Amino acid sequence: MKNVFEEGHEITLMDALDNRENRVSLQKELLERYPTNTLISLKMNIPGPIKTNNAIRKVFHSASSILQQYLVKNDVILLADTNRDLPTGPEGYFIVDMNDVEAKALCIKLEDDFLLSSMVDLDVYTLTDDGIQDISRQSLNIPPRKCFVCQNEAKACARSKQHTLKEIQQKLVTLYTDYYFSEIKQSVAQCAQKALLYEVTCTPKPGLVDAMDSGSHDDMTIYTFINSSCVLTPFFASFFEEGYHYPKEKPSNELFTKIRPIGIEAEKSMNEATQQVNTHKGAIFSLGVLMTALGYAFAQSGYFDLKHIQDIIKDMLCHLMDDFDGVENKRSEDLTIGERLFLDYGISGIRGEASSGYSIVFNHSLPYLVNQTTGDINDRMIDTLLFLLKHSKDTNLIKRAGTVEILDEARQSATDILAAGGVKSNLGRQLYLDMICEYKERNLSIGGTADLLIMTLCLYFIEQLP
């Protein structure tokens, strides 16, 4: 599994040398334009051949923002600044109305305070009669920077190659994930909440609650779902945190047991917010598993790779199908609907879908949603819902209809609508509206398919995170 600092385009030695020459030229140009002022240069210090990617840019922007906050706090006038996003790494140049010694002291304070300072270089330059002068720590009798791996002198470790690239990168991953943990935790939890809200406001839907109608659910309205969505968000953050802090040396299949209490508390909060109406029980399960896998993956690698996340889910839920063990020995009257469907038709429902790593979502519906290039987000969600209905086995629909034959009807309806161009076409939309009327008359609902749409949307939003 790659870590976040192994993702990106590799540069060559010649690229680095060319950049160094170009950087010196720019520094000279800026200082000649502002000969009586000081230049602060911010660039990244990332070992290895990959010098830029989203994570590296994220650290750069954090450092740049903190530097500018320090300047404001110290009443330093920023006369000019420029940033460059290059294959050799992002760079920032700041001309300040400040003497060089004070500027260097400010940069050293930032290096001491910023938890990710080991990934950045802050250099201070002035223009003298002899050319550009670099203000070093040594010239101010300040001890050199320490190695972030072993705390010895950084330059000595670099010269002796004391640490392997893998060792250095793993330490960087730990620093990176610890620093951005809270921010990422809130971001993914908000993606989950956003997915719940987008699904319920997607309008119209067959048999489901939407912004105009309650479908086949007389006990629910859109506000019931909004109330539920709001109270569940903190639990999504808790799932992520549990995955993040789970010991990596322990089997990941035990992680599922660890998150069960969070799921139970989430259901209690949902019921309190909805007056005991089940709005999101299935989504709590699926999103809880996803959030946990995201936390586990982020702690390991510092970023979200969909294949890695799917593998984690498979490992977490490798025993989920054990729930069906011995079901053939049960008395008929003791069987649940899910157990009966499994025995009679081999339909494993959400257990089978989840234990596959949500294959239909990761491998099919997410690409389907992403690759739609026409229509607004509402139409694209509806077509994705129909795509999921066509390719899944919604046990909620079977339960409502009282027969497994409803699956063939639903698949055919979804197939016909999508073949006509989906709801973005006139024929497709008319067929879809006819389907909605029929589902309401027959009291049918596709709650299981809606849960898969929520999962799809959540991953869609996560993929868009900076």
Side-chain angles (χ1 to χ4, degrees):
M1 175 61 204
K2 288 184 177 181
N3 66 59
V4 69
F5 298 105
E6 294 175 311
E7 287 290 314
H9 174 71
E10 295 187 5
I11 67 165
T12 65
L13 176 60
M14 188 58 67
D15 292 331
L17 293 174
D18 288 345
N19 171 256
R20 182 176 181 180
E21 182 177 329
N22 184 265
R23 194 167 64 243
V24 171
S25 177
L26 177 58
Q27 291 166 355
K28 184 173 183 293
E29 177 188 331
L30 288 169
L31 283 170
E32 286 177 346
R33 196 183 308 165
Y34 298 91
T36 61
N37 300 111
T38 301
L39 170 64
I40 299 176
S41 169
L42 168 63
K43 64 183 183 67
M44 301 304 294
N45 176 32
I46 306 295
I50 295 170
K51 301 300 183 183
T52 189
N53 57 32
N54 287 340
I56 294 169
R57 283 189 287 269
K58 188 180 185 74
V59 177
F60 172 82
H61 289 304
S62 294
S64 177
S65 176
I66 293 171
L67 173 60
Q68 293 180 69
Q69 290 171 26
Y70 275 32
L71 294 175
V72 171
K73 185 178 179 181
N74 288 275
D75 297 321
V76 178
I77 298 174
L78 178 61
L79 299 170
D81 66 286
T82 183
N83 290 334
R84 302 198 303 176
D85 189 7
L86 304 172
T88 49
E91 301 170 359
Y93 300 91
F94 307 86
I95 294 289
V96 294
D97 186 15
M98 187 182 202
N99 74 57
D100 52 1
V101 173
E102 290 176 342
K104 187 63 179 180
L106 185 143
C107 290
I108 290 172
K109 176 171 173 52
L110 189 152
E111 290 172 347
D112 291 341
D113 294 346
F114 184 39
L115 295 178
L116 301 181
S117 63
S118 54
M119 300 185 201
V120 303
D121 279 333
L122 280 165
D123 297 307
V124 175
Y125 301 97
T126 57
L127 192 62
T128 68
D129 293 339
D130 298 324
I132 298 177
Q133 180 180 347
D134 175 13
I135 311 303
S136 66
R137 281 174 171 253
Q138 185 179 3
S139 67
L140 301 179
N141 295 317
I142 295 174
R145 296 180 71 177
K146 293 182 178 180
C147 169
F148 60 88
V149 177
C150 67
Q151 297 304 303
N152 292 323
E153 185 180 336
K155 287 185 177 179
C157 285
R159 283 194 299 267
S160 64
K161 297 183 178 179
Q162 180 70 25
H163 311 290
T164 65
L165 179 59
K166 194 71 178 177
E167 184 182 6
I168 294 170
Q169 286 182 337
Q170 196 52 55
K171 180 63 176 178
L172 290 179
V173 168
T174 301
L175 291 170
Y176 177 85
T177 56
D178 284 350
Y179 186 81
Y180 290 111
F181 165 70
S182 294
E183 176 187 328
I184 297 297
K185 177 179 71 171
Q186 293 305 318
S187 293
V188 298
Q190 287 167 4
C191 286
Q193 183 193 53
K194 188 176 176 181
L196 295 177
L197 294 172
Y198 267 55
E199 184 278 325
V200 73
T201 53
C202 175
T203 303
K205 296 193 297 289
L208 297 168
V209 175
D210 58 41
M212 296 194 323
D213 192 75
S214 293
S216 301
H217 300 272
D218 294 337
D219 57 342
M220 306 177 189
T221 69
I222 188 173
Y223 299 107
T224 319
F225 279 80
I226 291 173
N227 291 339
S228 176
S229 301
C230 291
V231 300
L232 291 178
T233 308
F235 294 100
F236 298 140
S238 296
F239 283 121
F240 182 88
E241 187 165 357
E242 192 68 48
Y244 181 83
H245 291 299
Y246 185 75
K248 303 306 173 282
E249 65 274 8
K250 295 185 68 174
S252 54
N253 63 333
E254 295 179 8
L255 184 51
F256 182 56
T257 303
K258 290 279 290 182
I259 64 172
R260 280 183 182 271
I262 302 175
I264 291 170
E265 290 303 312
E267 283 189 28
K268 287 181 181 177
S269 291
M270 174 195 73
N271 287 328
E272 289 174 6
T274 63
Q275 286 74 54
Q276 306 304 311
V277 175
N278 173 19
T279 49
H280 289 125
K281 185 174 181 178
I284 291 171
F285 174 85
S286 296
L287 289 176
V289 167
L290 176 59
M291 294 292 108
T292 305
L294 288 167
Y296 190 79
F298 185 68
Q300 285 187 319
S301 63
Y303 78 118
F304 300 133
D305 175 79
L306 293 184
K307 178 65 168 63
H308 185 211
I309 294 163
Q310 190 175 16
D311 288 342
I312 293 170
I313 291 174
K314 289 179 183 178
D315 290 341
M316 279 178 59
L317 305 181
C318 63
H319 296 302
L320 192 60
M321 290 294 290
D322 293 352
D323 291 349
F324 288 124
D325 287 353
V327 69
E328 68 279 1
N329 299 320
K330 278 189 173 184
R331 296 184 306 170
S332 178
E333 58 269 26
D334 294 334
L335 292 172
T336 65
I337 293 176
E339 289 170 340
R340 190 177 299 280
L341 288 173
F342 179 74
L343 273 180
D344 295 346
Y345 303 101
I347 297 174
S348 53
I350 189 58
R351 290 181 181 84
E353 193 53 61
S355 60
S356 75
Y358 292 95
S359 175
I360 191 171
V361 172
F362 281 84
N363 302 335
H364 302 287
S365 62
L366 179 60
Y368 183 84
L369 176 60
V370 170
N371 292 330
Q372 291 186 67
T373 57
T374 60
D376 59 23
I377 184 61
N378 190 75
D379 286 350
R380 284 183 277 139
M381 284 193 292
I382 291 173
D383 281 353
T384 304
L385 181 71
L386 291 168
F387 177 88
L388 284 162
L389 183 61
K390 177 181 175 180
H391 295 285
S392 63
K393 297 177 180 179
D394 192 324
T395 54
N396 181 272
L397 179 60
I398 297 172
K399 180 179 178 181
R400 286 266 184 167
T403 173
V404 73
E405 293 176 0
I406 190 64
L407 292 180
D408 289 333
E409 291 183 41
R411 287 195 195 103
Q412 190 59 56
S413 295
T415 299
D416 291 345
I417 296 167
L418 293 174
V423 295
K424 294 182 281 290
S425 72
N426 291 333
L427 176 58
R429 179 162 288 273
Q430 186 56 57
L431 291 172
Y432 182 62
L433 293 175
D434 292 343
M435 178 185 182
I436 288 172
C437 292
E438 179 188 354
Y439 272 49
K440 187 160 188 177
E441 289 175 3
R442 296 172 64 183
N443 200 36
L444 300 176
S445 180
I446 52 174
T449 310
D451 287 342
L452 294 176
L453 177 62
I454 290 169
M455 279 281 284
T456 306
L457 288 167
C458 187
L459 286 169
Y460 177 73
F461 297 139
I462 286 167
E463 283 280 87
Q464 296 174 13
L465 290 176

